[in-house]
Amino acid sequence: MAMSRVTFAHASEAELARLFDFYRITWQYEPRSFPIAWNENGRPVEFFTPDFYLPEHDLYVEVTVAKPARNTRKNRKLRLMRSHHPRVNVKLFTRRDVERVFSRSMKRVS
């Protein structure tokens, strides 16, 4: 997917998309939402929408650059996601992961 067609929720997502494009990794932005909580009638009431899907790797990627202390909500959603959809591969890219990826890519560019 080309970046020009996508409006990202956060600048870190746009940067990661640029990196995927640079390495010619096919990606989709928020292509699907997964139900993770249901009410007493069995209707979904909460969803998890990973930021990226990498079809060649069958992998969903969720990006967060929040401080680790604030990742509780994301970790809860990810835990529910893995519990209810165990065959779906999801990777959480934390602030530290994002910093490592971008620092490596900057070294390669310079």
Side-chain angles (χ1 to χ4, degrees):
M1 174 178 280
M3 284 190 46
S4 61
R5 297 183 215 152
V6 177
T7 302
F8 295 98
H10 194 272
S12 62
E13 296 169 355
E15 287 299 317
L16 193 55
R18 280 190 201 97
L19 202 58
F20 289 150
D21 286 346
F22 179 81
Y23 286 105
R24 299 179 186 221
I25 297 171
T26 304
W27 56 272
Q28 299 171 0
Y29 184 66
E30 297 184 339
R32 182 176 173 192
S33 294
F34 297 89
I36 57 172
W38 292 260
N39 67 12
E40 62 278 355
N41 298 323
R43 299 186 74 185
V45 293
E46 189 174 0
F47 294 85
F48 179 69
T49 305
D51 297 316
F52 293 96
Y53 177 61
L54 310 179
E56 294 168 356
H57 303 279
D58 190 25
L59 175 68
Y60 287 89
V61 176
E62 175 68 13
V63 179
T64 181
V65 291
K67 292 181 179 178
R70 295 188 168 196
N71 284 344
T72 304
R73 192 172 146 237
K74 289 261 184 184
N75 285 328
R76 178 191 155 274
K77 284 189 162 190
L78 202 58
R79 196 170 41 254
L80 288 170
M81 171 73 188
R82 288 179 175 145
S83 171
H84 296 293
H85 306 277
R87 293 178 184 230
V88 177
N89 296 320
V90 181
K91 168 72 176 145
L92 178 65
F93 266 44
T94 64
R95 179 184 198 141
R96 185 173 39 184
D97 295 327
V98 171
E99 288 171 352
R100 283 184 196 151
V101 167
F102 291 144
S103 69
R104 288 179 188 160
S105 67
M106 293 304 288
K107 287 178 184 174
R108 289 183 181 152
V109 171
S110 59

